[in-house]
Amino acid sequence: QGKQRALLVKELREEEKRRRNYDAAARMEMDPELAAISIQRLFRGFLSRVRATAAREEELVFVGMRPPKHDARGDFDLGAELETAYRKRKQEQTDNRSGYTKALTDLKDVVREEEGPHMRAELRGERTDWVTHMIETTKEIPDDLEGFYPDKFPEDEAKQAELEAAA
């Protein structure tokens, strides 16, 4: 009996060894097309399970048995979000408006400080030239500068005349 048992164990080991070799050889020599088909089959199965789960979730949300997934708070309030966005937009507009007003006043100050003296000197020179021209033509010194401004800015006179005619 011992010899028979030893032969049986030896035969089982050889059979197991042949089976391992066959499985390893079968794996190594698999056709690339069959391998691709197998991978595609597994992926398509996975994809269909994912799609089925997503459809099931969507249906549960639709019938109201589950809250929307994208909302972490549990209750999705579109009106509150719209109101928050509106307030945020209006606050940004207010901030921009105040920034614009401040920049405008700063720019006016810069113009007064840097270009103001030059502009004053230029206008004074123009008035002096006008007074000199008036003395040459009329032989009289003008009492005021009323005649200077319509000569210098004729479009302002036309606008004033239109406003008076409309009134």
Side-chain angles (χ1 to χ4, degrees), residues 7 9 11 17-18 24 48 63 66 71 73 82 89 91 95 97 101 110-112 125-126 132 162 166:
L7 287 174
V9 168
E11 197 175 299
K17 188 176 178 182
R18 275 184 272 152
S48 66
V63 297
R66 186 165 290 165
D71 188 48
R73 295 183 307 258
L82 288 173
R89 225 176 25 251
Q91 181 62 40
D95 294 344
R97 189 176 297 120
T101 307
V110 166
V111 168
R112 271 194 198 109
E126 288 179 9
T132 307
E162 288 176 18

Side-chain angles (χ1 to χ4, degrees), residues 33-147:
E33 285 187 18
L34 291 176
I37 290 171
S38 180
I39 291 170
Q40 287 174 354
R41 176 179 49 87
L42 292 171
F43 180 75
R44 286 181 183 142
F46 169 77
L47 189 62
S48 66
R49 285 190 296 278
V50 166
R51 286 180 179 162
T53 303
R56 188 176 322 110
E57 288 295 320
E58 187 177 296
E59 186 175 347
L60 289 173
V61 168
F62 178 74
V63 297
M65 293 178 67
R66 186 165 290 165
K69 193 171 189 175
H70 66 279
D71 188 48
R73 295 183 307 258
D75 58 336
F76 185 69
D77 191 7
L78 183 61
E81 283 192 28
L82 288 173
E83 183 65 29
T84 304
Y86 176 79
R87 279 195 223 116
K88 189 175 181 182
R89 225 176 25 251
K90 289 301 176 184
Q91 181 62 40
E92 187 174 349
Q93 287 175 357
T94 305
D95 294 344
N96 289 342
R97 189 176 297 120
S98 65
Y100 172 76
T101 307
K102 184 180 181 311
L104 194 60
T105 57
D106 291 346
L107 184 63
K108 284 181 182 178
D109 292 342
V110 166
V111 168
R112 271 194 198 109
E113 291 172 7
E114 294 179 4
E115 297 179 18
H118 174 68
M119 292 170 74
R120 263 190 233 107
E122 189 177 312
L123 287 171
R124 185 173 294 128
E126 288 179 9
R127 285 186 288 241
T128 305
D129 291 343
W130 180 78
V131 169
T132 307
H133 177 69
M134 291 303 289
I135 290 173
E136 286 176 359
T137 56
T138 63
K139 305 287 186 210
E140 292 179 6
I141 298 175
D143 293 334
D144 54 19
L145 297 174
E146 284 184 19

Side-chain angles (χ1 to χ4, degrees), residues 153-166:
F153 306 108
E155 63 273 357
D156 289 344
E157 275 298 313
K159 287 181 185 176
Q160 264 188 343
E162 288 176 18
L163 290 175
E164 290 174 1

Side-chain angles (χ1 to χ4, degrees), residues 1-14:
Q1 281 183 339
K3 282 186 178 184
Q4 284 180 340
R5 186 179 294 156
L7 287 174
L8 183 63
V9 168
K10 185 179 176 183
E11 197 175 299
L12 286 174
R13 283 186 187 158
E14 287 176 2

Side-chain angles (χ1 to χ4, degrees), residues 19-37:
R19 190 176 303 135
R20 280 191 204 138
N21 287 340
Y22 178 76
D23 288 344
R27 286 188 198 138
M28 299 292 253
E29 297 175 2
M30 184 176 236
D31 185 26
E33 285 187 18
L34 291 176
I37 290 171

